[in-house]
Amino acid sequence: MDKFVIEGGAPLHGVIPTSGSKNSALPALAAALLTEDKVVLKRVPRVRDIRTMERLLTDIGSYITVEGERVTLETPVIVSPEAPYELVKTMRASSLVLGPLVARAGRARVSLPGGCAIGARPINQHLSGLELLGAKISQEHGYVEAVAAGGLKGTRIVFDRITVTGTEDILMAAVLAEGETIIENAAREPEVVDLSNLLIKMGAKIEGAGTSVIRIEGVAKLRGAEHEIIADRIEAGTYVIAAAITGGDVTITGCVADHLGALTVKLAKAGVRVVQPDETTLHVLPGSVIHAVDMSTEEYPGFATDLQAQYMALMTQADGISIVKETIFENRFMHAQELMRMGANIRLEGREAIVAGRSRLSGAGVIASDLRASASLVLAALVAKGETVIDRVYHIDRGYENIEGKLAAVGANIRRVE
Ligand code: EPZ
């Protein structure tokens, strides 16, 4: 298993380019199942989760050509409308094939995701949405089966709680349903909007993506399309925090600055200067003191749960006590234990972490757990005294394209060892 060896202490200086969004590319890849025509996706990040999705789609019946960040998909026939356990257990976003398979093939058999490091992560909202659209849902042997032999019928769906991939799954089912579907309490994430833009290019009739109410008029068929995936706001946000924690001077290019409003406003309160030369660039300037500022994760446009671990690492360097609250997942503080091993002073109380800064972090041997927890350990290692060895970096490879190359290019002392 690969490890990262990081020598802390160097402030970062230079330019970091942003890759395409993993969490937008995943539903976009699944959307290709909705048509027999060719779909071309550009700016697809070459990360593990994307390769897992490409393998799953190939097993389902897609012919996929990968040329760097350009992925071409053609699915003339759905050969096997299934997502087997061995794939789903490595990536729960496999549930994104549910909606497209029921819509295109009239049935889907998907392994229940099972828990993951950050929580139970059920897909009950996805299933109740499909049921309302007319699918018959059954569960056995750890698999869920959705059947709609006569096709899906549009209806009104109100999610009990906001779910990003649940919204995306139902959106992809509704575009081929008969009649109108209204999705209420929909997720407003930019990735939902990006998916909607792709579906509209494919001929779907959708209004309101990005708001809590999405209206879809079903169509009989969808055609192929060409689409460039939006920038990864979580990757960009991670590098903004990397610059802040090292007191560096870093320009993050190719991002959508507007998608990081909650982060940049919060950082400004913490005394971190982030300027926005244009809408695709964020420039983090060397700061003075980092102030302790409380943060609570919320659905978009609130502070992203996927940046919570990274923010907690930053707060270990703040000049006081801050409270970091995780409202989206029930167990997303695994990074806290590892940060404490590096010298951080954190107390966990249910959904809240009380972070007492400023801690002098020292390098240690730590273990990555989930994708974003691992990123926060990299950030802590950049500012820790001495050498940190992070094990199981395959977690990081799931969602960050060439993180060690991007960081080394701005002066970080980081290397990957087999
Ligand atoms: C998406 O996961 C992202 N993944 C996650 O990013 C992100 O953390 C999450 O949204 C929240 O922003 C992708 O887009 C591929 P949810 P998703 O459904 O859709 C509960 C990363 O690091 N829930 O919005 O699975 C659920 O348990 C990943 O890139 C139900 O109860 O998240 C959670 O507590 C990690 N029933 C909350 O809702 C359901 O049917 C939000 O989950 C669905 C979800």
Side-chain angles (χ1 to χ4, degrees), residues 161-304:
R161 70 175 295 176
I162 294 172
T163 160
V164 175
T165 51
T167 301
E168 292 164 345
D169 235 341
I170 296 308
L171 182 56
M172 290 191 280
V175 293
L176 289 179
E178 186 192 323
E180 181 182 61
T181 297
I182 297 174
I183 304 175
E184 295 181 46
N185 202 19
R188 295 182 280 166
E189 270 69 4
E191 293 75 32
V192 174
V193 177
D194 202 31
L195 172 64
S196 173
N197 290 338
L198 165 61
L199 293 169
I200 289 167
K201 284 181 189 172
M202 294 169 69
K205 294 189 169 65
I206 304 169
E207 285 170 7
T211 75
S212 302
V213 180
I214 304 178
R215 201 178 285 274
I216 304 109
E217 186 59 42
V219 294
K221 269 174 83 73
L222 291 178
R223 57 179 180 267
E226 188 155 316
H227 180 72
E228 176 163 321
I229 300 294
I230 53 167
D232 191 317
R233 60 191 168 96
I234 305 302
E235 184 203 22
T238 302
Y239 292 126
V240 166
I241 297 175
I245 202 171
T246 62
D249 180 332
V250 177
T251 300
I252 288 94
T253 58
C255 66
V256 179
D258 191 39
H259 291 163
L260 284 160
L263 175 67
T264 50
V265 167
K266 184 65 70 176
L267 290 180
K269 277 181 72 174
V272 176
R273 288 185 299 151
V274 185
V275 296
Q276 192 176 317
D278 59 48
E279 72 271 12
T280 66
T281 310
L282 286 170
H283 182 187
V284 185
L285 297 162
S288 49
V289 176
I290 295 170
H291 305 306
V293 178
D294 295 350
M295 182 280 280
S296 172
T297 62
E298 302 293 338
E299 289 89 358
Y300 192 88
F303 194 103

Side-chain angles (χ1 to χ4, degrees), residues 354-398:
I354 295 99
V355 185
R358 170 174 182 181
S359 317
R360 290 242 167 281
L361 299 182
S362 59
V366 290
I367 294 184
S369 52
D370 79 278
L371 168 55
R372 307 302 174 182
S374 318
S376 88
L377 297 181
V378 172
L379 301 188
L382 291 175
V383 75
K385 192 170 170 351
E387 180 178 276
T388 298
V389 178
I390 302 178
D391 205 347
R392 301 187 191 167
V393 293
Y394 61 84
H395 288 290
I396 299 178
D397 295 334
R398 292 189 52 174

Side-chain angles (χ1 to χ4, degrees), residues 34 45 63 90 95 171 183 311:
L34 290 165
Y63 292 91
T90 65
S95 58
L171 182 56
I183 304 175
Y311 184 77

Side-chain angles (χ1 to χ4, degrees), residues 10-16 250 405-412:
L12 305 182
H13 281 85
V15 177
I16 300 183
V250 177
K406 292 189 179 186
L407 285 173
V410 291

Side-chain angles (χ1 to χ4, degrees), residues 22-23 26 92-93 118 121-126 161-165 189 305-306 328-330 332 371-372:
K22 159 180 90 80
N23 288 351
L26 287 169
R92 65 176 308 289
I118 60 182
R121 303 192 72 186
I123 56 169
N124 56 315
Q125 299 290 321
H126 302 230
R161 70 175 295 176
I162 294 172
T163 160
V164 175
T165 51
E189 270 69 4
T305 173
D306 290 350
I328 307 292
F329 290 107
E330 62 267 29
R332 201 169 197 179
L371 168 55
R372 307 302 174 182

